[in-house]
Each structure stands twice: as structure tokens, then as C-alpha cells.
Amino acid sequence: MSFLAGTVLLAVTISLACALPGVFVVLRKSSMLVDAIGHAVLPGIVLGFFFTRDLDSPLLVIGAALAGLVVVLGSEWLGRTGLLTGDAPQGLIFPALFSVGVILITLDFADVHLDTHAVLVGDLNLAAFVPVTVGGVSIGPAYLYLMVGVLALNAVFLTAFYAPLKITTFDAAFAATLGIRTGLLNAAFMLLVSLTVTASFNGAGAILVVALMIVPPATAALVSRRLPVMITVTVVIAVVGALAGFWLAYVLDAATSAGMAVFLGLVFVAVFTVTRLTRRRRNRSLDTAPEAPAIPRNRPVGRR
């Protein structure tokens, strides 16, 4: 497999792996929680690399994902205390943890050498640089197979728990009356999101992974509110965005993940504009439509 083909497949795989759980993240109105996870797992990655000495180690990914889950559970606990409201708990937790991670990187803590630019925006080409060879023949980047595993895990989880996830997303109180353990399911789902965000670090970074996870399902939500249709449209947008964004970055000689994020943003703007214009035209046609003539009531026949 050529380096170009491997990088393109890696871009599509990362985009799909992020977009699938992003559907339920958008519907649960927890989009900025992805940003919080993406920033808060940075110190976990630094410390994990200190022990494993391998940025592609599964142990590093799992450890950093657990750190992201701690942020989620900590934010929920602070919110339940009633002392903080809205997204204030997230605003307190993840900037502090992210700052700790940046300090550890810039100080070369314990000889851990990580590039802050790659951590923030990722480097898809660099992530695809290490190949897997079988019999002296390259079968693609090693990082590609890690993301294929994450994509498969996301697909299996969402398929297995599709019904309870749908119920808890739209009506958590009703789900609890049905005996669904909403707290455990939510923790498992957020662990999956945290794992996906952490695994995507090498290719997308802490900032652009938010675009890959949120923009495709947010665009699909403008097209349809039916969950099966929304998932299908999200997959299509994720694939097209990865391919077109990769081409855009190649033409402009820019960062690949940034090109993907920019193209997805342009798709969202286009769909949003068309949706607004369509709704305005529909409302205007309803306002100008002639009123239906009143149906005369039958008068009782009287004597003359």
C-alpha cells in the first residue's frame, strides 16, 4: 500500500470513528464536553508516554481515556451539588488540566518529548509515517489499524446499545422508569467518546478532533431529525469531508486535519444557508396562500 493511499484511508477512518459517537453527543447537547475531554486528557497522555515510551501504545490510549472520563464524572458531580450551574464545572476543570499538560510538555518533564503543535492540531501525515509490513510488503500505517479498531468498537457499541441510547438521549426520565441504568450507560458512552478523542490525538489533535466529532452530525441534524437518517447522512458527510478535505490540504500544502475541518465547516455553512432559505420560502408561501373559503352552514328549513 502506498503512503498516499494509507494516509487517505487513515483520514476516512478517523473521520468515521469520531462522527459516529458524535451523533449522540450532538443530540445530548454535550458538544463542548468533547472539547473538555480533548484538552483534559493531555496530561494523561504525557504521563502515559513517560511510562510506555510509545505514543501508539494501547495502554497510553486507555489511561488517557480514563483521565477524560474522570473529567466528565467530575463535571457531573460538581453540577449535581447545585453550587455551580451550566457549563461552569467544565470551565473549571479542563483548562487547569490542559495547562498542566502543556507545562509538562514545554518543560520536557522526565525527558518526555512531545510537540505541542502536533498535540493541538495533529499531523495526519506524520501519524501515517510508520508502516506495518508483512513479508516485506507494506499493508498500511500502523496507526490506521489502531483507528480501525476504535471505529469497530464504536460501531459495535452503538449497534448493541442503540435502543437504550436512543431512549436515554431523548427522555432520560422515561428510560429510568423502564429499568435502564442511565448513569452506567452514560458513563460507558462517555468513556467511549473519551477513548475516541484520545486515540485520534495523533491525527487530529486536541482542537480539530472536536470538528471531526461535532460538525458532521450537526450538519446532518439540519437535514433530518430522524435518528436513522441522521446517522446515514453523518457517515456520508464524514467520508466526503475526509476525502475532499485531504485533497484541499494537498492543493494548498496545508495541514491535512485542518483541511478536513475547514471543508466540513464549509459544508455546514452551505447546508445551514440552504435550510434557512428553504424555511423562509416555505413560511412566506404559507403566509401568502389564499384562505380557504368558509363552508356555509346548513340552515334549518323553516316555514314561510
Side-chain angles (χ1 to χ4, degrees), residues 14 22 37 56 107-108 114 126 151 186 198 225 278:
I14 292 179
I37 294 174
D56 299 321
L107 293 179
D108 290 333
L114 296 173
L126 183 61
L151 174 59
N186 181 63
T198 306
R225 301 298 292 183
T278 303

Side-chain angles (χ1 to χ4, degrees), residues 271-283:
V271 175
F272 179 81
T273 303
V274 171
T275 303
R276 286 290 301 273
L277 292 177
T278 303
R279 289 182 178 178
R280 284 184 179 179
R281 187 176 303 172
R282 186 183 306 168
N283 294 335

Side-chain angles (χ1 to χ4, degrees), residues 144-159:
L144 170 63
Y145 293 95
L146 172 64
M147 292 309 304
V148 167
V150 174
L151 174 59
L153 177 63
N154 290 348
V156 170
F157 181 90
L158 295 179
T159 302

Side-chain angles (χ1 to χ4, degrees), residues 30 52 59 66-67 70 76 81 110 119 128 137 143 151 164 171 178 181-182 218-219 230 234 246 260 263 271 282 293:
S30 301
T52 63
L59 295 178
L66 291 175
V70 169
E76 291 182 352
T81 61
V119 168
V137 179
Y143 186 49
L151 174 59
D171 196 339
L178 295 178
R181 302 180 65 178
T182 57
T219 307
M230 185 177 173
T234 296
F246 187 92
M260 293 165 57
F263 184 83
V271 175
R282 186 183 306 168

